[in-house]
Amino acid sequence: MGVNSLSTNSQAFNNINKGFAMDLTLFERKSEFEWHIKPFGKMHVPGVIFASETLLREMDAKVYEQVTNVAMLPGIVNASWAMPDAHWGYGFPIGGVAAFDADAGGVVSAGGVGFDISCGVRTLLTGLHVEDIDRVKMRLADALYHTIPAGMGSTGTIRLDAAEMDRMLRGGAHWAVERGFGTAADLERIEEGGCMKGADPGQVSEQAKKRQRDEMGTLGSGNHYLEIQQVTDVYAPEIAAAFGVKPGDIVVSIHCGSRGLGHQIGTEFLKRMVLAAPGYGIALPDRELACAPIASPLGQEYLGAMRAAINCALANRQILTHLTRQVFSQVLPQARLPLLYDVSHNTCKVEEHKVDGRTKKLYVHRKGATRAFGPGHPDLPHELRNSGQPVLIGGSMGTSSYILAGTEQGMQHAFGSACHGAGRAMSRHQALRNWNGRHIVDDLAGHGILIRSPSMRGVAEEAPGAYKDVSAVVDAADNAGLARKVARVVPLICIKG
Amino acid sequence: MTVTAHWEHFPHQADIGVRGLGATLEQAYEQAALALTAVITDLADVAPEEMIRLSCEAPDAELLLVDWLNSLIYEMVTRNMLFSRFEVHLEGNRLTAQAWGEALDVARHHPAVEVKGATYTALKVAQQPDGGWLAQCVVDV
């Protein structure tokens, strides 16, 4: 039996579809950071990519193909958008945004939401300064790594019976707070007030629930993390003040999603939608665009299950928040950790937006994109109403992350959406060829960044150099008017799954 | 010429592709499953001690590959096991299989990632010019 070892399996890398650089002549440049693709063939609307010329040039040509494919889906409104961090995804580009009108035959797409439903980031303030952390950094890193279940095979301490699982899937972070994980004040700092309405646990399969059995309050793996970060720069002092961040502050960011339950729902509905599409008269340009009319039974079943998965993700991040607070109460008892905000990246949500001067109810898909509501939006809590929604952008483990704010302009651009992270520049395969996990950990330790992870190979695959320059992505989002840059943070401790 | 069964990984920008090649379609599915485990850990470290049976069904050979890998992902997660040996039998569009493996031991297997699901991206199941079979797709990690 020919068993290859990964390190010597280089031939596979060299002869496969590596992707091709973007051809800029395919676009009409509307502004410095906005690139349009005129509708052709079966496209109902234009494609629009927000990016600097450099970012667009370096984008995989697959993004162009995927943006134009999404534009062919029934009932799409205004445009098929891609954010500055867009890269080759499944059907939709990662960094793709598309809204559909149910009254115009619009669809909901399991591929347009993705496997890790409601994967997202939340940031906690601590009231601490960098000098408070220095003395206890090692202890804090070890205590967090000991307490936060991270990586494949790690399990949480919470077991839910069938009835409690359903209550969790209906209640989201609300359920978690009722069970003692966090406080009621956290809820208004979460999209949907911490509870996605319309969740239907009855549409979540027993397999999906079984897959979640041991995974409540776990971080997961891949690009998921818990980081202790230091605020280094503030770009918009007024908004930063409203957000409660200033240079030297310590914050905690948690990136994870709906765990096995969301993955299983994504898997099951993707297949059901692929098989059902011909019956709905939908010709899929790519199987991964699997979708069903919003008005169909399958569309409604998916929405019920997907919303339950959103609640699972919100509950999961809420439990991780509770665990984080427990660690801080032991190591740095003076700290209080209020929630700044919690954003979700992989969702389809019903929102009201202005279309041709009229307010319409739309099903907005964000696949690897962040909701970024502007100032004055009624969904924002009172204290954030004037500043706009915090938009939390995760970087890679050695570089920066950013806090942005939604803008009025962004509400017009892509229905209140912005980028979600750096985006990979390089495959995991190539990263493994380029880096050694132990060396990365030692190197980052030399720069004052403590990494804790069960897998050095996992660390190598997530090497900072395997990601795009998050600063360039954030600058493009800011310049395009999608969201406004508020603050930059750098990691001090990173718990990596 | 006989086709030697083997597996490969192929790159995808955010994730990773698994590819199985073999003299028969069954072998190609078995090799793709080995490639799946190799995404997570070194195959040589997974002892084929315990056997489980699984089956799945799909309308065509490509959808069946995705179902096969997703069934394995489900078994890995819910049993907390890794698998390093596979025997696949096909009857039309129905796949039955035995998989041998052992309990995941984080300290020994150092799992690099958990796999969320097999996708329809770069999905291909086809007979090759040399008569052998290829079965591949990207898996989301």
Side-chain angles (χ1 to χ4, degrees), chain A residues 321-455:
Chain A
T321 297
H322 175 73
L323 296 175
T324 305
R325 286 172 176 158
Q326 279 189 327
V327 170
F328 270 79
S329 74
Q330 288 155 19
V331 181
L332 289 154
Q334 74 272 32
R336 294 288 167 272
L337 277 69
L339 181 57
L340 167 56
Y341 210 69
D342 178 298
V343 299
S344 291
H345 296 148
N346 297 342
T347 57
C348 171
K349 289 186 173 179
V350 182
E351 295 169 7
E352 288 190 339
H353 290 283
K354 282 255 167 64
V355 181
D356 299 330
R358 287 206 334 216
T359 301
K360 287 202 108 165
K361 199 171 90 170
L362 301 174
Y363 288 73
V364 184
H365 293 65
R366 296 189 181 90
K367 171 75 191 89
T370 314
R371 195 190 77 174
F373 283 168
H377 196 285
D379 284 10
L380 296 177
H382 176 72
E383 311 87 77
L384 300 175
R385 197 62 66 78
N386 293 331
S387 50
Q389 180 204 309
V391 177
L392 311 168
I393 309 296
S396 60
M397 45 187 177
T399 59
S400 342
S401 294
Y402 285 87
I403 300 169
L404 285 73
T407 62
E408 186 49 46
Q409 204 186 349
M411 296 306 289
Q412 318 300 326
H413 274 335
F415 293 145
S417 309
C419 54
H420 85 308
R424 287 191 80 92
M426 188 185 292
S427 71
R428 293 176 176 279
H429 201 113
Q430 182 67 7
L432 273 183
R433 284 154 52 90
N434 287 6
W435 293 287
N436 166 293
R438 174 51 57 192
H439 291 166
I440 290 174
V441 170
D442 292 345
D443 183 47
L444 289 173
H447 290 88
I449 304 168
L450 302 181
I451 307 289
R452 295 288 183 273
S453 173
S455 171

